[in-house]
Amino acid sequence: QLLLLEQKVLLVSSSSVLLTTVCETFNRLLFFPLAWAHVYSPNMLSVDLLDCPTPWFYGALRSVVLPTSNFCPLSDAPWLRADRDFSAFDLDTGEICLAPEASSLPRLPEAAL
């Protein structure tokens, strides 16, 4: 739903195979016949890219976004500020950190879900 509403989404995993597979599934299969026309990288190399002002869809290895400890929760990441404008999903643990404005987004019609 967040991607269909052109929101910023970050997927995190310790497995590059899982990360790429999930990102490509969202990008190619779940959007069909639509296409993501914004910034997309299934393997983001720097947390500096999180400041991009346009909508984006990134996948990032846990070692890139949590370089000090691969075992700390995603919610403890220093870049996951309260004023962030993106949602983050940990594919390894199932942890979800929604953007503050995510709850106020319009609901999609049932046919779009």
Side-chain angles (χ1 to χ4, degrees):
Q1 179 178 354
L2 291 171
L3 291 173
L4 287 174
L5 293 172
E6 297 182 332
Q7 299 299 301
K8 299 175 181 181
V9 173
L10 173 67
L11 303 180
V12 177
S13 177
S14 57
S15 167
S16 61
V17 173
L18 175 64
L19 191 62
T20 304
T21 302
V22 172
C23 286
E24 285 297 307
T25 299
F26 272 106
N27 193 39
R28 300 197 186 255
L29 297 178
L30 297 180
F31 273 135
F32 186 80
L34 305 174
W36 181 256
H38 303 289
V39 179
Y40 168 65
S41 175
N43 193 7
M44 181 183 75
L45 300 176
S46 170
V47 292
D48 295 334
L49 297 174
L50 297 175
D51 293 326
C52 179
T54 62
W56 47 256
F57 176 35
Y58 292 141
L61 287 172
R62 181 175 293 281
S63 60
V64 172
V65 296
L66 298 166
T68 56
S69 171
N70 279 343
F71 301 105
C72 76
L74 190 61
S75 56
D76 290 346
W79 45 264
L80 201 59
R81 306 173 308 270
D83 64 341
R84 71 187 180 283
D85 61 347
F86 63 91
S87 297
F89 300 87
D90 189 327
L91 300 178
D92 298 333
T93 65
E95 184 179 5
I96 299 171
C97 300
L98 291 175
E101 70 273 0
S103 61
S104 64
L105 292 172
R107 298 282 307 151
L108 291 175
E110 288 298 318
L113 297 175

